[in-house]
Amino acid sequence: MARRSTSSSTGSPTGPRNRTPQPVRVRRRTFGDFVKAFLAFIALLVLVVGVPGALAVQVGWPLPSGAPKLDWLQQEITVQTFLNVLTVIVWLAWAQFTACVLVEAKAALSGVGLAGRVPGAGPSQLLARQLVAALLLVGATAASLTPGLSQLGHSLEGNQKGTVAAAQQTPGLFAQQQEQAAGTAAALAEQAAQAAAHADTGAASARDGGTKYYRIQPPEGRHHDSLWEIAQRHLGDGRRYKEIYELNKDRVQPDGSRLSEASLIRPGWIMEMPADARGGELVEMPDAQVSPDVQQQIHDYARTGDQDQGHAQEGGGSGGADASHASRPEQRPGTDAGAGHGEAHERGQQHASPAGNGSTRHAADGFGLPEALIGAPLLAAGLLGALGRRRRQALWQAALGAVGGRRGMEPPTPSGDAQDAQDALLVGADPEGVRLLDRSLRGLAAALAAESRALPVVYAAWLSNGDLHLQLAQPAGKPPAPWQLGQDQTFWMLARADAERYDDVDTAAPYPGLVSLGTMDDSRLLLNLEAVPGIVSLSGREADRAAVFASVAAELATNGWSDRMTITLVGFGADLTPLAPNRLRHLDGIDALIETMEAETRQRRGALGAAGHDSVLTGRTGPAQHTRWAPHLVLLAAQPSAEDALRLAELAADAGRLGIGYLVGTETGELPGAAWEMEITAEGRLLAPLLGLELDAQMLPAVQQRAVVELFVDADPDRDPDGPVNAPPFLVDISEQGRPAVYARLVGPYEIIGLDTPDGERSALLHEALALLLLHREGVHPRVLASALWPRGVTEDVRAALVERLRGWLGSDPDGTARLGTDATGRLTLAKSVVSDLDVLRSLYHEATQGKGVDSRAVRGRLLTDALVLVRGPLLADRPEDRYRWLTHEIIDARLPLLVADIGLALSAFHLEKDRAEKAIEALDAALRTAPSDERLWNELLRATHATGEPGRVRSLAADLLARSGARGLPPRTEALLDELLPSWRDGAVAG
């Protein structure tokens, strides 16, 4: 009869029970084990005894026999001196290796697990560990702790790769407490005695006795088995999951796949357990209660412990991954996660993935900018895009709402923390990555809809080394091309090259609830909050939790891969609503939240039932995709009471299919209904032990949060409508005495007067840098300049060299002052002697409308005419397609047309005062070439044309306007003006 462990489990009684007893066997010592042990003994003998003996015999004592004198330092260095130095180094290396051997031997013989680290040893200690393990492999004490000599090369390679958790970095036991070590040693000693007894009774018993195994159980409800819980139940400490992982890493499982991630385990897999494991669910072989098929599976699995374990296979079997885990995807073949560091100054790592990782870009120095924003490329891109839209909206409202559009044309220039935050957004943002992520997800949704397939449930997305990996809750078949299966059937992968071939598609955003949590090595994790089967809890210090909540809220509110959503903030975030007033909603307390969510949960359940959908995902690929099933994400930072927590757990039980997600803060780390539990540490690490995740958390600290909000508040079009007019940031002397030393034409083709053209390839780079500085007379941070010129990153020395070349090219003024200087904040500024036509254009208009032109009609007319003559086309009309991409972050494309339109309107009014309609029409036509969509210009052109007294010209202009408007029709103001000037225009429109 099989001997079964009977000690009680130490884990939670609610954990999943092992319904199928799992057999265990003792590892059999083979002839190969004795060969390895003999070779290890010879190697240790040579390294520990032979090396010092050879040194003593061949070289002798390398150090001086007496105290060195001053003349000894002045002697010539001979070959013997050099050999003596090398001998000292070899003696030190031998001493370190010998110390490693002693430490590893003591740890192996005492059975306390992994030995303590010898300072500075590294590979030496790893070699000593393998040799000692091989030597002791023939004994039961070391057999269950070491992977064998054949694993040496594999272990060295594994130590060089980044992994999900520390468990995948360190084999064996890790820093167990004294009482646990003592218990482990006793259990191992008992196991050794039992194994020896079994060996005496016969080969079969020796092969199948003593070792304990556990079989991974299928999920029960939303609860999934995990190595952490197995270790908690059977080893008394969940942190010992690393031991189980190391015992089973890379061994072939019954379904043909291998364990490669501590967080990725599957039902039916077999886990060999440490010797001190105990509990009613553990079984030792032979066991009559185990079926012959299961006995054979475990017997075959046990044999993998005697063989060389190769690298983990990519792909695995057909079974699904543990659905509630967010494991990191494996690298594609041929992808080197660490490649590119030597050439970061040329191409960097920011755009290595569809949405960028941001972990290595511009990381050479702090340089005074908030790294929290620089290291969050998706968040920065969303904030920067939303800020640009807000500022454009403010410009248009100011132009359309003010007489002549003369108020508010210059947005306020940020300063202090707000300026630093804006610069950090410019440095860190990866809009191209956001665009690729959005197109990839929408393209996937469109392809599935074309095949009449529903969207799979996605728990997480990983952006890793140029690829996008979606982790599915369960296998969903073969993905549509160009998507491919990843490391197993629960991963769908899209390479960056395939993502770049996607075009915009008219379909709803399939996974708008994805939000960045942090990075691990070269991978960025996005969690799909609306798909988690329950609550996601976050514990840690209040300030750290608040920074994570603020980052999540800000990215959800401004990201570029969602259409519509509601984000409810409770317990924080009242000041965040200016980021996206249409998305963010703040509630005062949890009572209001529960009342609101109870009503919405009922409504969504009813709507899904009426529509015949299983979940919101099927609705997003149907005919009503643009009007329904937007997610509602709840961020509750305050600790709920026990009663409120239970009510939230009930609401969240069915939230995944309803498109509702809950992220709840907790002080204790325990929350009813929490499907995923995370902790933010004071060091900025985001830990989720049950998921096997240890991330560098993405956070938005309070200082940066206030600075970002200030940027949005200052750009609010409805803020202080009667406030003062913002003057241009830089006014030039437009008299003859103000002739500049360097003059650049930006409005139209790019030309520079007053400087020699640089030679070689640097010419285009210097021209682009000067254009950026001319558009920002308030100053440009060096990191902003570098990120604009090298979007994928650049090293500090390359950036400094560019600044010096630019300073040398611009030269100095006659008084010796360099034309490229640095202000008190470290930002690069241009001298007043370096001027652009845009500076002159602003100055002429300002002087005409607010300076000398106010009191002199003749001066006003001359200044406005001179200003309009400067307009030769759009900004930087002949710029190369592969440069000046930073202009997408600017609002100059909105400000310049509005400025030109204001000049045209002002000059038209100037001429109409004297009934010079043709001159007014000429001025308006000139302005329309730069601002063809400005409704104000067309309306003024109608008035000027009507002033000619020729109804036919007005009718022809009206027909032209109707043709331009297309299906949208004319704007209401234009229609009203046509009704006034040409009442019969509608008859002509109907006839046409």
Side-chain angles (χ1 to χ4, degrees):
M1 188 68 180
R3 183 182 61 81
R4 187 180 300 271
S5 177
T6 58
S7 59
S8 61
S9 173
T10 59
S12 170
T14 61
R17 305 297 295 176
N18 189 349
R19 294 183 294 273
T20 304
Q22 301 306 310
V24 185
R25 69 176 183 86
V26 172
R27 191 179 188 281
R28 183 182 180 182
R29 292 167 291 178
T30 64
F31 177 77
D33 293 337
F34 288 96
V35 172
K36 292 176 184 177
F38 176 76
L39 293 176
F41 174 77
I42 296 299
L44 286 172
L45 188 64
V46 170
L47 292 173
V48 177
V49 179
V51 169
L55 289 174
V57 173
Q58 298 296 328
V59 181
W61 183 251
L63 297 178
S65 57
K69 299 180 181 180
L70 182 60
D71 58 348
W72 179 79
L73 298 176
Q74 299 174 351
Q75 294 178 2
E76 182 181 359
I77 298 177
T78 64
V79 174
Q80 186 60 39
T81 304
F82 184 75
L83 292 176
N84 288 340
V85 173
L86 291 180
T87 303
V88 171
I89 295 174
V90 175
W91 273 108
L92 292 176
W94 169 82
Q96 183 189 60
F97 179 76
T98 302
C100 293
V101 171
L102 295 175
V103 168
E104 293 295 333
K106 180 180 182 299
L109 292 174
S110 62
V112 298
L114 193 67
R117 296 182 58 184
V118 175
S124 296
Q125 186 167 7
L126 181 60
L127 176 61
R129 180 180 309 156
Q130 299 296 330
L131 292 174
V132 171
L135 180 61
L136 299 179
L137 193 62
V138 294
T141 303
S144 63
L145 290 177
T146 57
L149 187 61
S150 63
Q151 285 292 85
L152 177 58
H154 178 68
S155 299
L156 284 172
E157 179 182 356
N159 287 345
Q160 297 171 354
K161 295 182 179 180
T163 51
V164 171
Q168 294 150 286
Q169 297 172 351
T170 306
L173 297 171
F174 187 79
Q176 298 299 322
Q177 297 184 6
Q178 189 65 32
E179 60 270 20
Q180 293 174 337
T184 304
L188 288 175
E190 180 182 358
Q191 180 188 7
Q194 293 172 352
H198 281 291
D200 292 338
T201 60
S205 299
R207 183 172 57 253
D208 294 325
T211 307
K212 303 173 184 178
Y213 286 84
Y214 178 85
R215 191 179 183 89
I216 304 300
Q217 296 302 296
E220 296 183 354
R222 295 194 311 273
H223 187 94
H224 299 264
D225 224 347
S226 69
L227 294 186
W228 179 282
E229 291 186 339
I230 295 170
Q232 183 68 37
R233 291 196 304 271
H234 301 296
L235 299 176
D237 186 353
R239 291 172 294 183
R240 295 183 63 189
Y241 77 93
K242 303 173 184 180
E243 302 174 42
I244 307 175
Y245 170 75
E246 287 300 331
L247 284 174
N248 299 275
K249 177 182 178 182
D250 294 337
R251 294 172 64 176
V252 179
Q253 294 290 338
D255 62 2
S257 56
R258 301 173 188 252
L259 175 65
S260 61
E261 301 279 357
S263 60
L264 183 58
I265 59 176
R266 302 175 183 171
W269 278 11
I270 300 165
M271 294 289 114
E272 180 179 340
M273 300 294 290
D276 62 332
R278 56 188 180 276
E281 298 171 347
L282 300 178
V283 179
E284 298 180 17
M285 287 292 286
D287 193 330
Q289 300 184 37
V290 177
S291 67
D293 291 341
V294 174
Q295 289 188 35
Q296 185 61 42
Q297 284 183 359
I298 297 180
H299 174 77
D300 294 340
Y301 179 74
R303 292 180 59 191
T304 63
D306 297 332
Q307 300 171 357
D308 294 347
Q309 299 174 8
H311 297 290
Q313 294 179 347
E314 181 176 344
S318 59
D322 188 337
S324 68
H325 282 60
S327 55
R328 197 185 74 173
E330 296 176 358
Q331 303 293 337
R332 287 189 298 149
T335 299
D336 183 1
H341 294 289
E343 50 188 6
H345 66 283
E346 293 293 339
R347 57 186 178 87
Q349 298 298 311
Q350 169 77 10
H351 292 168
S353 69
N357 298 327
S359 58
T360 60
R361 181 188 184 203
H362 305 288
D365 56 85
F367 222 102
L369 296 182
E371 296 293 337
L373 293 173
I374 293 177
L378 305 184
L379 170 61
L383 289 171
L384 202 59
L387 182 60
R389 291 189 294 271
R390 182 72 55 84
R391 286 174 171 171
R392 288 177 174 83
Q393 182 184 4
L395 286 174
W396 280 106
Q397 289 193 17
L400 297 176
V403 177
R406 298 175 184 173
R407 181 185 58 78
M409 291 308 300
E410 294 294 338
T413 301
S415 60
D417 290 340
Q419 187 178 17
D420 289 342
Q422 177 175 278
D423 286 343
L425 294 177
L426 290 168
V427 173
D430 182 16
E432 176 66 13
V434 172
R435 183 182 67 85
L436 288 178
L437 176 62
D438 182 47
R439 285 185 173 183
S440 300
L441 296 177
R442 294 180 193 267
L444 174 63
L448 289 172
E451 298 177 3
S452 299
R453 296 170 61 185
L455 287 166
V457 177
V458 170
Y459 277 152
W462 288 91
L463 299 166
S464 179
N465 294 312
D467 300 335
L468 169 62
H469 302 256
L470 298 182
Q471 185 170 358
L472 314 184
Q474 57 188 5
K478 183 179 180 181
W483 290 78
Q484 308 171 27
L485 284 176
Q487 64 196 51
D488 57 50
Q489 294 192 15
T490 61
F491 275 96
W492 285 4
M493 187 272 290
L494 180 69
R496 180 183 175 89
D498 295 326
E500 290 173 340
R501 290 194 285 268
Y502 266 122
D503 296 323
D504 292 324
V505 293
D506 184 21
T507 188
Y511 304 112
L514 286 170
V515 63
S516 303
L517 291 185
T519 58
M520 180 164 42
D521 300 323
D522 293 322
S523 300
R524 180 172 300 276
L525 171 65
L526 285 82
L527 175 66
N528 190 6
L529 274 180
E530 67 167 335
V532 177
I535 294 174
V536 179
S537 68
L538 178 66
S539 61
R541 298 188 311 177
E542 183 178 0
D544 298 326
R545 295 202 317 265
V548 174
F549 272 94
S551 172
V552 170
E555 184 170 299
L556 287 173
T558 61
N559 72 55
W561 55 87
S562 62
D563 300 319
R564 299 165 50 248
M565 71 171 64
T566 300
I567 307 164
T568 299
L569 312 180
V570 184
F572 82 107
D575 54 341
L576 288 175
T577 52
L579 301 183
N582 295 329
R583 285 191 181 186
L584 291 172
R585 176 179 62 178
H586 180 264
L587 297 180
D588 293 331
I590 193 171
D591 292 337
L593 171 67
I594 292 178
E595 180 181 355
T596 300
M597 298 314 300
E598 285 179 343
E600 179 155 352
T601 300
R602 289 194 299 268
Q603 186 273 333
R604 291 203 174 210
R605 283 174 179 163
L608 280 178
H613 294 311
D614 295 330
S615 72
V616 296
L617 292 179
T618 56
R620 286 178 188 159
T621 54
Q625 56 178 304
H626 289 292
T627 58
R628 295 185 182 179
W629 322 126
H632 186 167
L633 304 176
V634 176
L635 309 181
L636 173 60
Q639 169 80 37
S641 65
E643 181 181 355
D644 291 335
L646 290 175
R647 296 174 68 183
L648 282 176
E650 293 175 359
L651 290 172
D654 197 27
R657 73 182 191 94
L658 302 178
I660 302 175
Y662 294 88
L663 177 62
V664 181
T666 172
E667 298 174 358
T668 62
E670 298 180 358
L671 192 69
W676 290 9
E677 296 178 348
M678 299 186 298
E679 176 189 0
I680 179 66
T681 69
E683 294 76 25
R685 299 283 292 173
L686 190 66
L687 309 180
L690 295 182
L691 308 178
L693 295 179
E694 296 182 12
L695 306 172
D696 290 322
Q698 179 173 300
M699 306 168 72
L700 186 59
V703 174
Q704 282 75 56
Q705 178 182 332
R706 289 191 296 268
V708 168
V709 170
E710 181 181 340
L711 292 172
F712 279 80
V713 171
D714 288 343
D716 188 351
D718 299 323
R719 179 175 179 263
D720 195 13
D722 299 323
V725 176
N726 293 320
F730 177 68
L731 295 175
V732 302
D733 184 356
I734 56 177
S735 66
E736 285 295 327
Q737 293 75 24
R739 186 178 298 275
V742 178
Y743 182 68
R745 293 179 176 177
L746 304 179
V747 184
Y750 191 4
E751 300 176 17
I752 297 179
I753 301 173
L755 291 177
D756 295 332
T757 302
D759 296 330
E761 300 177 353
R762 297 193 182 104
S763 177
L765 200 64
L766 293 174
H767 278 73
E768 186 175 358
L770 179 57
L772 178 61
L773 290 167
L774 286 167
L775 292 177
H776 290 276
R777 302 303 305 225
E778 72 277 9
V780 176
H781 197 286
R783 294 187 73 176
V784 174
L785 179 65
S787 66
L789 301 180
W790 293 283
R792 298 187 178 186
V794 69
T795 57
E796 182 182 2
D797 57 338
V798 175
R799 180 181 66 204
L802 169 75
V803 173
E804 289 306 313
R805 281 195 295 268
L806 183 60
R807 182 175 284 113
W809 180 46
L810 292 175
S812 302
D813 287 331
D815 61 359
T817 304
R819 293 175 181 146
L820 179 63
T822 304
D823 65 10
T825 65
R827 289 172 171 81
L828 301 172
T829 58
L830 292 174
K832 293 183 178 181
S833 58
V834 183
V835 172
S836 72
D837 54 356
L838 186 59
D839 298 326
V840 177
L841 191 67
R842 289 169 173 157
S843 300
L844 289 170
Y845 178 67
H846 183 269
E847 191 68 20
T849 57
Q850 301 180 43
K852 297 178 180 179
V854 175
D855 300 323
S856 174
R857 171 181 166 81
V859 172
R860 182 169 71 254
R862 176 176 57 81
L863 293 174
L864 292 173
T865 301
D866 291 345
L868 203 57
V869 169
L870 289 176
V871 180
R872 301 175 299 125
L875 188 74
L876 299 168
D878 57 352
R879 64 180 181 267
E881 293 184 0
D882 59 338
R883 289 194 175 275
Y884 299 89
R885 294 183 179 178
W886 46 269
L887 282 173
T888 58
H889 298 314
E890 307 282 343
I891 62 169
I892 187 64
D893 60 336
R895 293 163 63 187
L896 178 59
L898 287 175
L899 176 59
V900 173
D902 282 347
I903 295 172
L905 292 169
L907 188 56
S908 171
F910 172 82
H911 288 306
L912 288 177
E913 289 177 1
K914 296 297 183 178
D915 296 327
R916 296 197 290 262
E918 294 297 339
K919 288 288 186 180
I921 292 173
E922 181 181 343
L924 293 168
D925 285 338
L928 279 168
R929 285 194 288 271
T930 300
S933 61
D934 196 310
E935 179 188 350
R936 299 172 301 157
L937 289 175
W938 288 107
N939 292 347
E940 194 64 22
L941 184 59
L942 282 171
R943 293 189 181 94
T945 305
H946 182 266
T948 63
E950 301 179 22
R953 292 178 66 178
V954 179
R955 191 174 295 107
S956 176
L957 180 58
D960 187 21
L961 281 173
L962 281 170
R964 288 173 177 270
S965 63
R968 299 190 307 270
L970 293 173
R973 293 187 183 186
T974 304
E975 284 191 354
L977 181 60
L978 280 174
D979 288 337
E980 175 188 345
L981 302 179
L982 189 67
S984 62
W985 74 275
R986 296 182 185 273
D987 297 335
V990 173

